[in-house]
């Protein structure tokens, strides 16, 4: 019943920006901490960011700090990741995650000239 559906990934030039979205359903979204995790081929999984249920406490991996912003709209049961100044190393599949068990299908971000 729980569903997480990511969208917004695209092919972007270095320095570009994207907003990723994750539409959540099947649980009380507003009460739950959410995370973004990315999977880089050949480099494994990397935690990206976390936001608490109320949206007032956030955390970021050092590799994305200052460029990525996590946010949420609880009225729309949607999680966001705003990405600025995209770099080649940001190329990955980005997943929204609830707890340990629930992952979306991911959205592909590709940074290339």
């Amino acid at each position: 019943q729980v569903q997480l559906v990511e969208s917004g990934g695209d092919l972007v030039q270095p320095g570009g920006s994207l907003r990723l979205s994750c539409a959540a359903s099947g649980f009380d979204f507003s009460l739950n901490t959410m995370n973004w995790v990315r999977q880089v081929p050949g480099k494994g999984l990397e935690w990206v960011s976390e936001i608490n249920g109320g949206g007032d406490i956030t955390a970021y991996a050092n590799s994305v700090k200052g460029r990525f912003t996590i946010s949420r709209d609880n009225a729309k049961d949607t999680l966001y990741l705003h990405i600025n100044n995209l770099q080649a190393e940001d190329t990955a599949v980005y997943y929204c995650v609830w707890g340990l068990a629930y992952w979306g299908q991911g959205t592909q971000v590709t940074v290339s000239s």
Side-chain angles (χ1 to χ4, degrees):
Q1 295 284 343
V2 174
Q3 288 190 274
L4 301 169
V5 182
E6 299 93 339
S7 62
D10 205 352
L11 173 63
V12 183
Q13 294 183 349
S17 299
L18 284 173
R19 187 182 75 168
L20 309 184
S21 298
C22 171
S25 61
F27 66 104
D28 196 334
F29 176 75
S30 67
L31 297 178
N32 287 277
T33 293
M34 298 292 296
N35 287 267
W36 285 99
V37 177
R38 64 186 181 185
Q39 184 166 31
V40 181
K43 297 184 179 180
L45 292 167
E46 180 185 23
W47 171 78
V48 174
S49 187
E50 180 181 84
I51 187 168
N52 72 330
D56 58 323
I57 303 174
T58 60
Y60 300 91
N62 287 335
S63 59
V64 307
K65 192 175 300 181
R67 298 187 298 116
F68 288 29
T69 303
I70 190 170
S71 63
R72 64 196 299 159
D73 186 342
N74 286 339
K76 297 182 177 181
D77 289 352
T78 302
L79 177 73
Y80 301 101
L81 186 68
H82 299 80
I83 309 175
N84 295 316
N85 192 23
L86 279 157
Q87 305 297 307
E89 58 265 32
D90 296 319
T91 295
V93 177
Y94 285 74
Y95 299 93
C96 62
V97 181
W98 175 38
L100 299 176
Y102 294 98
W103 293 54
Q105 293 298 306
T107 185
Q108 176 70 53
V109 172
T110 302
V111 184
S112 176
S113 299

